[in-house]
Amino acid sequence: MLRRALPRRPEARRLLVGTLLSAIGRGLTLPFLFIYLTDVRGLTDTRAGLAIGWYGAVTLVLSPLGGTLIDRFGARRVVLPCLLIEAVGTGSLALVDSSASAFAVMTVIAVGSSAIWSGQNTILASLTDDGERQRVFGLNFALLNLGIGIGGMTSGAIVDTDRPVTFLAVYLLDAVSYLMPALILLTLPGVGHRLGAGRVAGQPSPGGYLTVLRDRPFRRLVIFGLILTTCGYAQIEVGFAAYAVRVVEVSPRVVAWALAANTVTIVLAQLLVLRRIEGRSRTAALALVGTVFAAAWLVLGAGGLISTESAVLAALCVVACSAIFGFGETMLSPMMPALTNALATDELRGRYNAMSSMIFGISGVIGPVTAGPLLAAADGRVWVATVVGGCLVASLVALSLRRLLTPAQDGRVTAEPTSPEPTPATA
């Protein structure tokens, strides 16, 4: 089953290794940024939330530029410098000592990450065909989460809010991890160059973001993604961690184990889920994701209600929430990028992927900024009700998308395997 999920081209396989290595560093820091800024560096909850939200705002502003640069000059020339900037930024988190420095460092990180996701997805799409693309994106996500889980388990055993030096160590290791995919990409000189035959580097590609926005099915997909990520992924670093530690009253170590459960679920279930969803409706799967995410938040809310009666059961609710969330991710991870690239053309593929990544930028602004006030209301119950309701609304939007797609775009017709066109050797 694993062999079938692997991409045929060796270049794509090596890029997947880079995903795993960089994800380990990401996992070292992912669950603890909000706790680090507040409990270690002394920022208020509001300022820490605003700093994290600022990262989302800067990413959002710069993502369209990243997509344009990818289409004009190739993903390689954009991703490599962004990985280096990201390494500098994440390492600099160890030096944060005030609100001003937190905002400055988050700005640097945002500059680096603004085009990494869209650039890497564009490269993977160029190295795979329609028949294998959904499987490869799913495998890429499984490796991403495997790395995050390994990093999370490691940091859970290391970090201690009473020992700031432990946080400094994990942020420096995270910085080093971003150099790994950059080194791998440097060993693949023929990968990541400009797509679209017969065009000269530096000239604008046909159309632009207005062309992308006129794509009605893609607009509906973006709306779905905005709602789901705002009430899902954007809550992991702030809402989930803060609710678990402050309302359910578990230790940061339990949060780390919860993320490990998320990883185990994804790693064990991803290949099986990929096999089950192949040839089935992508919009139906996306609707199911919203329902699964809602169920995960309900379980976490139950943990807050029983925390005073049974600390063990409350901790199990935190872990179960993360595991259920992970199951939903195994369906979302292959579907979103595969559907995005099914709608995209080569000339505008960078912009389509940039718009898709902007979903996380927008939700990254809304989620952290709103999580604090929502968590403060009624012992976090308002927050739980909001994220559960939002996930269910996203499911309805996904179902409405189906009638706008062809059977092939919706994944109900499996594309015949074809070899992707060779990547140009020069930009």
Side-chain angles (χ1 to χ4, degrees):
M1 189 183 299
L2 175 59
R3 180 175 298 180
R4 187 169 182 269
L6 288 173
R8 288 192 288 273
R9 293 187 61 167
E11 300 98 320
R13 297 180 186 181
R14 290 167 70 177
L15 291 175
L16 292 178
V17 173
T19 295
L20 174 63
L21 295 176
S22 63
I24 293 175
R26 179 62 173 149
L28 290 171
T29 60
L30 176 64
F32 302 113
L33 178 57
F34 186 76
I35 300 299
Y36 169 69
L37 293 177
T38 56
D39 295 1
V40 177
R41 292 309 185 189
L43 274 66
T44 65
D45 288 2
T46 300
R47 290 187 179 183
L50 287 173
I52 298 173
W54 173 250
Y55 159 83
V58 176
T59 302
L60 174 62
V61 170
L62 294 180
S63 289
L65 175 61
T68 300
L69 294 175
I70 289 169
D71 285 333
R72 291 191 181 187
F73 302 106
R76 180 187 188 85
R77 293 184 177 181
V78 178
V79 172
L80 279 173
C82 282
L83 286 169
L84 297 179
I85 294 171
E86 184 84 354
V88 172
T90 53
S92 298
L93 279 169
L95 306 177
V96 168
D97 59 2
S98 65
S99 297
S101 60
F103 274 86
V105 170
M106 296 307 291
T107 301
V108 175
I109 296 174
V111 171
S113 63
S114 61
I116 291 178
W117 185 263
S118 58
Q120 290 178 334
N121 277 356
T122 299
I123 293 174
L124 272 181
S126 72
L127 295 174
T128 54
D129 58 48
D130 291 338
E132 66 175 340
R133 194 169 288 156
Q134 185 168 293
R135 298 192 302 271
V136 172
F137 278 125
L139 179 59
N140 183 61
F141 187 75
L143 292 173
L144 174 69
N145 279 272
L146 175 61
I148 289 176
I150 294 172
M153 292 177 64
T154 303
S155 63
I158 294 175
V159 298
D160 185 344
T161 54
D162 294 325
R163 297 169 58 213
V165 67
T166 59
F167 285 89
L168 307 187
V170 296
Y171 282 118
L172 291 176
L173 289 173
D174 190 14
V176 173
S177 75
Y178 277 100
L179 300 178
M180 299 300 103
L183 292 174
I184 290 174
L185 190 54
L186 284 172
T187 66
L188 301 172
V191 167
H193 294 286
R194 195 179 186 216
L195 300 175
R199 293 189 288 122
V200 180
Q203 290 183 350
S205 59
Y209 280 108
L210 285 178
T211 302
V212 176
L213 290 172
R214 290 190 188 105
D215 187 338
R216 188 182 177 194
F218 185 66
R219 286 203 313 268
R220 188 70 57 88
L221 180 64
V222 168
I223 293 171
F224 160 81
L226 284 173
I227 299 172
L228 188 72
T229 57
T230 299
C231 298
Y233 283 107
Q235 302 299 328
I236 294 297
E237 289 195 43
V238 178
F240 171 73
Y243 188 93
V245 172
R246 297 179 180 178
V247 178
V248 188
E249 297 182 341
V250 300
S251 67
R253 184 161 296 181
V254 173
V255 176
W257 280 107
L259 291 179
N262 175 276
T263 296
V264 170
T265 301
I266 291 173
V267 172
L268 294 180
Q270 184 71 83
L271 294 179
L272 178 62
V273 169
L274 285 173
R275 184 177 180 181
R276 296 286 295 178
I277 64 178
E278 189 166 355
R280 298 177 184 270
S281 170
R282 289 169 175 163
T283 51
L286 292 177
L288 182 58
V289 172
T291 304
V292 172
F293 280 7
W297 294 136
L298 283 174
V299 170
L300 181 65
L305 294 177
I306 65 174
S307 60
T308 57
E309 301 176 10
S310 175
V312 174
L313 287 178
L316 287 176
C317 284
V318 174
V319 176
C321 165
S322 189
I324 295 169
F325 197 92
F327 179 72
E329 291 178 276
T330 62
M331 291 180 284
L332 181 65
S333 60
M335 292 302 183
M336 279 292 288
L339 186 48
T340 296
N341 283 280
L343 296 171
T345 62
D346 275 348
E347 291 78 9
L348 295 174
R349 196 171 299 280
R351 289 177 173 87
Y352 270 86
N353 281 294
M355 285 287 294
S356 184
S357 70
M358 285 172 64
I359 292 171
F360 292 89
I362 296 172
S363 63
V365 174
I366 301 172
V369 172
T370 58
L374 291 174
L375 285 165
D379 293 327
R381 294 172 190 168
V382 173
W383 175 80
V384 173
T386 301
V387 294
V388 169
C391 290
L392 294 177
V393 169
S395 294
L396 296 176
V397 175
L399 291 175
S400 73
L401 173 60
R402 178 169 178 164
R403 62 184 177 82
L404 302 179
L405 302 175
T406 65
Q409 291 170 336
D410 195 33
R412 286 172 275 144
V413 176
T414 303
E416 292 295 328
T418 57
S419 298
E421 295 185 6
T423 305
T426 58

